[in-house]
Amino acid sequence: MATANIRQKLYDYIRVADMRKVKAIYTMLEDEIEVAYDYWNDKDFVADLDRRSEDYKTGRVQGVSWEDTKMKILASKTGKRK
């Protein structure tokens, strides 16, 4: 069975399962669910941030302001493109 089908079946089951079963499933998976990803311990992630920051500082990459970004997003929602 494809992963997407399994996910859908689990989702459908959990939506209607009684609380006792939901709690039992959660207890089995709790450690995996609660694990938070620590970006700052990911050497590749930090290296990528450093590279991008350096690109911006040296002018190799031109940034986009939040206002420009927000205007483009709002314009795309209304169908008005600049």
Side-chain angles (χ1 to χ4, degrees):
M1 182 180 303
T3 302
N5 292 344
I6 293 169
R7 287 179 199 272
Q8 188 62 48
K9 285 184 174 280
L10 285 170
Y11 172 76
D12 291 342
Y13 178 77
I14 289 171
R15 280 186 31 229
V16 297
D18 65 60
M19 187 54 68
R20 192 180 97 252
K21 291 179 181 176
V22 171
K23 285 181 179 180
I25 293 168
Y26 181 79
T27 300
M28 290 188 319
L29 302 172
E30 184 174 11
D31 290 342
E32 292 182 43
I33 293 170
E34 296 298 325
V35 171
Y37 179 65
D38 186 2
Y39 295 99
W40 303 115
N41 286 329
D42 183 336
K43 292 177 184 176
D44 292 334
F45 176 77
V46 173
D48 188 43
L49 283 180
D50 289 342
R51 180 188 54 79
R52 290 173 182 237
S53 177
E54 189 62 27
D55 286 347
Y56 176 73
K57 288 176 186 175
T58 61
R60 270 181 270 168
V61 174
Q62 184 178 357
V64 179
S65 73
W66 168 241
E67 288 303 317
D68 287 344
T69 302
K70 188 167 62 171
M71 284 187 344
K72 287 181 183 180
I73 292 169
L74 293 173
S76 72
K77 284 184 174 184
T78 61
K80 299 176 184 175
R81 303 226 186 241
K82 285 191 173 187

